[in-house]
Amino acid sequence: MSGTLVLCGAPIGDPRDASPRLGEVLASADIVAAEDTRRLRRLAHALGVTISGRVVSCYDAVEGARAEMLTEQLLAGSTVALITDAGMPAVSDPGYRLVAAAALAGVPVTVVPGPSAVTAALAVSGLPSDRWTFEGFLPRKGGERRSRLHGLAAEPRTMVFLESPHRLAAALRDLADVLGGGRRATLCRELTKTWEEIVRADLAGLVAWATDGREIRGEFTLVIAGGGGGARAGGDAAGSLARAGGGAGTTEPTAADLAGAVARLAGAGLPPKDARKAVAADYGISPRQVYDAVIAVRDAGTAEPD
């Protein structure tokens, strides 16, 4: 008779978020496969748990080989607990290959549900959460990242991304450029940890936040409104154009409306060209029309009085 693979949701920061069942499984499993064995032992210590079974590493680079070995152990009757550094295994973490191998072999797979940075960020974002999509990490290279974002520009559902601290500013600039600086977004840093921070703004505002000279540290989850009507719905959290009284829904914006919107986004840190693109997308007009409006307002302001 085969054993059981138990997927264990780990706390994303505060160990007090762990369930009593997680401690029981870690203490009783024949094998505990961990993304980082040192973090596992620190968590076990925080939970007051003694791991009696065999501990093996199961990180990205070795998961394929470990999946074969662990499946053999499962078929031999062992209970295997799989735990990653934080959150749920297989969700932007190792685990998919082991689950697939165990399922293919007919081994029972069950789960100890636990915290998730993805759903936690979605819940606190203040953005529509009835329909949403998880996009994980964006590509590292700028060209590939912008290509991916162009494919998501018309996505109507709220989108959730993960991002590393050293790529955050570049990713936010590309997001503002491709999706529009006025797109509503919420940035969550270090959820449930001592330095937890939640920033609700639009993408232009987040670019300004990330490039104001602060040291970017920690783990980030980014929630972005979908395209279309949902991108700007919702009270005080609306983007910079809506807060200023302009934006989509204004049928015939004046040159002053357009120039003022560009000035506000540029003041928030978005390059002028990107600001004009964002305003054009927000009003459903061409960037050239926005540019002409900016020039007209500038020329009017410098004209000789009659």
Side-chain angles (χ1 to χ4, degrees), residues 15 80 89 93 118 122 124 129 160 192 222 240 273 284:
V80 176
D93 271 335
V118 175
L122 182 68
V124 302
S129 56
V160 183
T192 79
L222 180 63
S240 60
K273 182 178 179 181

Side-chain angles (χ1 to χ4, degrees), residues 27-118:
S28 62
D30 299 304
I31 300 173
V32 180
E35 182 179 10
D36 186 324
T37 57
R38 293 167 299 179
R39 289 198 182 192
L40 167 66
R41 296 194 186 282
R42 287 198 294 269
L43 175 62
H45 177 75
L47 300 179
V49 169
T50 299
I51 298 175
S52 58
R54 176 186 172 195
V55 174
V56 299
S57 60
C58 190
Y59 51 93
D60 278 327
V62 302
E63 186 189 352
R66 289 287 191 268
E68 182 178 355
M69 181 273 287
L70 292 171
T71 300
E72 292 175 358
Q73 295 296 316
L74 286 162
L75 289 171
S78 296
T79 295
V80 176
L82 174 64
I83 187 167
T84 51
D85 291 349
M88 289 301 303
V91 180
S92 280
D93 271 335
Y96 163 75
R97 284 170 284 189
L98 175 55
V99 173
L104 184 62
V107 172
V109 180
T110 188
V111 62
V112 178
S116 167
V118 175

Side-chain angles (χ1 to χ4, degrees), residues 3 11 16-17 25 39 55 73 87 89-90 136 144 147-148 159 180 195 200 212 240-241 250 277:
R16 294 173 298 177
D17 293 333
V25 169
R39 289 198 182 192
V55 174
Q73 295 296 316
E144 295 175 4
S147 178
R148 170 81 65 82
M159 297 172 283
W195 305 109
R200 298 181 183 87
D212 67 355
S240 60
L241 300 184
T250 302
K277 287 182 179 179

Side-chain angles (χ1 to χ4, degrees), residues 140-156:
R140 297 172 183 269
K141 296 183 178 179
E144 295 175 4
R145 184 166 57 238
R146 289 187 290 274
S147 178
R148 170 81 65 82
L149 292 174
H150 279 294
L152 294 172
E155 170 57 60

